Amino acid sequence: MTLSNQSSATVNSAASINTVRRQQTLELALSGDWVLDAPVPALEPVLAQIEHDSQLKSLQFATAGLGRWDSMLVTEVVKLIECANRSGVAVDKTSLPLPIQNLLALAAAVPERIDAHRSQQSVSWHEAMHAAWLGTLRESRAMLVFVGEMALSTLATVRGQAHFRREDLWLYVQECGPSALPIVTLISLLVGLILAFVGAVQLSLFGAQIYIANLVSLGMTREMGGLMTAIIMSGRTGAAYAAQLGTMHVNSEIDALRTMNLDPMAFLVLPRMLALILIMPLLCLYADLMGIIGGGLVTVNFFDVSLTEYLDRTASAVKMKDFTIGFVKCAVFGILIALSGCMRGMQCGRSASAVGEAGTSAVVTAIVFIVVADSVMTIICNRLGI
């Protein structure tokens, strides 16, 4: 039975398979040029014969008429061998060219993983909720473990049993402090400007533009200054911490520190956390100032309010407790950002994609923690009347 048979003299010659039945042996004659630009002969009749012929015992290849060949031939031969193995038919590969035998041996050296192919399975909503709940519990446990290790490392550092380089602490202070001033300045000015315009739309209806200063100053000192600074630092510094520690994990630098009897939590994580905790309240005060300046630019230039009136209303509206509330909030935000970034970095896998995933996860985790913590602290302040 000839499936395709053309001359191999042309460049685009066709591949062909001739099947010959000799008692209980099926002989496949591979002829023509088996190259990528040649049409692939249909194997379905041969595969059907192998699967349904119960008297067939062996499969042989005849390659006397074989011309040029490439990986296309090896692919088709693999299909034939797999079909024969499923049907319990013995395969004689000795007649194949030696390079093809070597490629077949290489392909069979590492078996295909059972779970290599992903199967699309429909998941019910309660299974999805159960998986989400288990994931939340797993993440909560990992966070508690990390916080516990961080507390033990801090205690060991205080006792002198572990240490970090002071130069690293000041370097991290420089990175997350003065280096962040340009972006904090820009965002805080724009937030103060937006607050002034939003308040002016309603206050101007009653001729109360003078209270724009109260709105901007209280909004920046109690909420927006610390919140916007925390969001900026979570994307800037938190992701950087996760990427740095993740890269160290990929390069086995953290393992090297453990080999040298150095605690990675104290040597790498603690100075980063201290730097961010120390610098965040200062950045919050700076952001408050920039926001008040941005609101003043709008109020003085676009509404009938003088600079003296704006400053006087700001001084009378803002109390020390307002600065204290924003100061405390931003310190808590600094802890959460450092915790999220360092935790994701220490949990990073050992691949390049894992570093990117750690950075993304650090930002998302930090922002979620920041919003939740800010909501809780705002409710507590409201209930306490401060």
Side-chain angles (χ1 to χ4, degrees), residues 40-51:
V40 180
L43 294 180
E44 286 75 12
V46 182
L47 297 177
Q49 185 177 358
I50 296 174
E51 291 178 351

Side-chain angles (χ1 to χ4, degrees), residues 198-233:
V198 171
V201 171
Q202 297 298 323
L203 294 175
S204 61
L205 299 177
F206 306 96
Q209 295 92 332
I210 188 64
Y211 292 103
I212 298 176
N214 299 57
L215 174 65
V216 173
S217 58
L218 289 175
M220 290 300 301
T221 54
R222 294 180 68 98
E223 291 293 337
M224 297 305 298
L227 184 61
M228 295 307 301
T229 302
I231 293 176
I232 293 170
M233 297 303 291

Side-chain angles (χ1 to χ4, degrees), residues 69 71 74 77-78 81-82 93 96-112:
W69 61 273
S71 58
V74 180
V77 171
V78 169
I81 294 175
E82 290 178 350
K93 308 175 188 176
L96 291 172
L98 184 59
I100 296 180
Q101 297 183 35
N102 294 335
L103 290 175
L104 292 176
L106 182 62
V110 180
E112 183 181 6

